[in-house]
Amino acid sequence: MLITRTAGCLIVGLLCLGSNPGVGSLSSSAENAPSPERWQPAVSCLTDFSGTLEAPAGRHGFLQRSSDGHFVWSDGRRARFWGINVSSTRLDIPPRQIEQVVTTFARAGMNLVRLEAIDNRNCLLGDSKAPDSQHFDRHYLDCLDRWMDTLRRH
């Protein structure tokens, strides 16, 4: 089942990339790459996995480990995750683009998003000229808040 879903998502992802000119292209020329202002999620994908997402988050209780080593919810259902890593250097984008990215994640059926390395300089701890590492960057906190709110709504 998991292998079938994985293969299906990969095929759908390739179809989505193929429907957006410039995305997934091997060419490195700037004119082929879509700008953030022009980028749109690929709506021509044949399959939408967003129906596999269960809302609201937490409705099955707390995550636990079963005696056989699998993740299960407190109601006994086996937990399954389909996720992605988002680099800390790619989080500072306009709210409209965050909405587009998260919508694409939801269409792919992703129920787990890891925000990687947010606790470093040039991110949550401010730029390299910040006087210390004891204060958070307000702009970056606002950006993280937008991401969390948008992910929660999808």
Side-chain angles (χ1 to χ4, degrees), residues 50-125:
S50 61
T52 65
L53 299 176
E54 298 182 13
R59 82 174 188 190
H60 295 294
F62 288 99
L63 186 64
Q64 304 168 3
R65 184 182 58 87
S66 68
S67 59
D68 62 355
H70 294 286
F71 285 124
V72 294
W73 300 111
S74 54
D75 67 1
R77 291 189 53 173
R78 186 157 175 200
R80 298 190 184 272
F81 301 104
W82 183 254
I84 193 167
N85 183 68
V86 179
S87 170
S88 61
T89 61
R90 301 296 176 242
L91 292 174
D92 190 9
I93 58 176
R96 185 176 140 267
Q97 191 175 4
I98 293 172
E99 186 73 34
Q100 291 170 334
V101 169
V102 171
T103 298
T104 301
F105 290 170
R107 287 183 55 85
M110 293 182 188
N111 63 356
L112 180 76
V113 176
R114 175 182 182 246
L115 304 179
E116 176 260 334
I118 61 172
D119 59 342
N120 60 16
R121 288 290 186 186
N122 298 321
C123 295
L124 194 56
L125 298 179

Side-chain angles (χ1 to χ4, degrees), residues 41-58:
V43 293
S44 64
C45 288
L46 300 176
T47 307
D48 181 356
F49 290 100
S50 61
T52 65
L53 299 176
E54 298 182 13

